[in-house]
Amino acid sequence: RTVYVNGEYLPETEAKVSIFDRAFLMADGVYEVTSVLDGKLIDFDGHAKRLQRSLSELDIAAPCTMDELLDIHRELVKLNNIEEGMIYLQVTRGAPDDRDFVFPDPETTKPTLVLFTQNKPGLADSPAAKKGIKVISIDDIRWGRRDIKTVQLLYPSMGKMMAKKAGVDDAWMVEDGFVTEGTSNNAYFIKGNKIVTRALSNDILHGITRAAVLRFAAEAQMEVEERNFTIEEAQQADEAFITSASTFVMPVVEIDGVSLGEGVPGPRALRLREIYLDESRKAAV
Ligand code: PLP
């Protein structure tokens, strides 16, 4: 695979980052994952805007313009022949000469920019979407700025392992009795013609897929309610689902051992998935 590191396109085995890189030592970096369908980028604009926001919240300089970033994405898609898959992008505060808690001088330490592709044929036509996924609930013990997409992913990673050990697919995190989000996705339930999901705040990541799906809700004749909800309320819903750039809209059929409806993906979640895929493909760049 050809990857991108600080201005160069290289074979992955030749790509290098310093051991003093702040992301390696302190998780001092942010990332984005953009999906590719039909060789084109889904919602690049949304991801570029969120990246700019993550960088500015952490006072990390943008490594290049967003137009240059689009060119790099497209070049990697071309070089690696990606029809369906993902592009992972990471920007870190860079690599100073030594380890220090204090931020390095941005004049001398430039941000590190890394991108690589993940080839996933069949991403849109996923078997998991036909079966639905099962989730458990776990405590949300992450830090208080989950709106910033940092590479500090140890707890979400542990959450996925807890799910795996419990024999299910993923975990929904709960704080003060209310669901925040999934380990790497936003969480929703459907009751009647209403989609319920937690409102935006520093408690959750402002999902790019979330924004798109809520925009498309009207096309599915559905209403949106952004508010706190409990696991118990979701368990009694008609349907549930998650969204993320890599899973699109993924039906959830079981929460903490309780089956939703018939225990198979519901018609409304599947309809939302279809609309999301259709509309995103049309708008892809
Ligand atoms: N919430 C968390 C914690 C995530 O890590 C992600 C994606 O990685 C999402 C939500 C979904 O965001 P997006 O739709 O932009 O992929």
Side-chain angles (χ1 to χ4, degrees):
R1 166 166 62 167
T2 301
V3 303
Y4 174 96
V5 184
N6 293 329
E8 286 188 285
Y9 295 91
L10 301 161
E12 64 183 47
T13 47
E14 286 170 30
K16 287 192 178 66
V17 178
S18 163
I19 63 157
F20 295 112
D21 195 280
R22 296 270 305 183
F24 181 61
L25 297 177
M26 298 182 176
D28 189 356
V30 300
Y31 75 108
E32 283 295 331
V33 176
T34 304
S35 60
V36 177
L37 293 177
D38 317 315
K40 288 187 182 166
L41 303 162
I42 301 300
D43 220 334
F44 175 80
D45 210 44
H47 289 283
K49 288 209 173 87
R50 184 172 62 190
L51 173 67
Q52 283 178 308
R53 180 174 179 278
S54 293
L55 291 170
S56 93
E57 290 297 304
L58 295 178
D59 247 328
I60 300 177
C64 61
T65 68
M66 294 303 123
D67 284 344
E68 285 165 334
L69 215 51
L70 176 58
D71 290 341
I72 300 168
H73 276 74
R74 284 178 163 159
E75 187 63 18
L76 278 183
V77 166
K78 205 166 81 189
L79 290 170
N80 293 293
N81 286 316
I82 308 293
E83 265 304 298
E84 282 193 22
M86 275 106 71
I87 303 188
Y88 177 87
L89 166 157
Q90 180 168 323
V91 182
T92 84
R93 199 181 303 279
D97 297 337
D98 202 356
R99 180 175 182 271
D100 189 355
F101 281 81
V102 173
F103 291 177
D105 181 351
E107 282 305 310
T108 49
T109 302
K110 299 294 170 199
T112 302
L113 174 60
V114 170
L115 287 93
F116 57 81
T117 53
Q118 295 179 290
N119 192 27
K120 305 266 180 196
L123 186 67
D125 195 26
S126 136
K130 294 183 180 77
K131 236 174 67 188
I133 63 160
K134 299 177 179 180
V135 302
I136 51 166
S137 62
I138 61 173
D139 279 345
D140 195 339
I141 59 164
R142 296 173 300 161
W143 78 324
R145 289 303 306 274
R146 303 157 191 162
D147 56 311
I148 308 173
K149 199 166 167 65
T150 74
V151 296
Q152 195 188 320
L153 295 174
L154 184 53
Y155 188 65
S157 182
M158 289 167 73
K160 295 259 193 213
M161 292 310 295
M162 292 182 231
K164 201 173 163 178
K165 271 199 199 122
V168 300
D169 306 288
D170 208 344
W172 281 10
M173 295 180 280
V174 174
E175 185 173 58
D176 300 330
F178 297 107
V179 176
T180 52
E181 57 190 332
T183 57
S184 62
N185 42 68
N186 291 112
Y188 312 72
F189 73 79
I190 299 175
K191 186 87 179 170
N193 73 336
K194 252 187 215 140
I195 302 170
V196 177
T197 194
R198 193 178 175 107
L200 295 182
S201 71
N202 291 354
D203 299 338
I204 61 168
L205 186 73
H206 302 188
I208 303 306
T209 320
R210 177 189 184 279
V213 167
L214 296 190
R215 243 182 4 252
F216 300 144
E219 197 178 326
Q221 272 88 47
M222 300 198 64
E223 283 168 32
V224 176
E225 218 171 86
E226 294 176 78
R227 62 166 172 85
N228 281 359
F229 65 92
T230 62
I231 287 288
E232 292 68 30
E233 195 180 6
Q235 284 172 325
Q236 285 153 26
D238 301 326
E239 301 181 30
F241 64 95
I242 57 166
T243 63
S244 75
S246 53
T247 61
F248 313 118
V249 175
M250 180 64 68
V252 170
V253 295
E254 186 188 296
I255 305 172
D256 279 341
V258 175
S259 282
L260 276 88
E262 310 288 304
V264 293
R268 299 184 197 84
L270 289 176
R271 178 76 188 121
L272 284 169
R273 180 180 176 89
E274 191 176 274
I275 295 174
Y276 174 79
L277 285 170
D278 282 353
E279 296 289 345
S280 310
R281 280 190 143 117
K282 274 191 242 161
V285 298

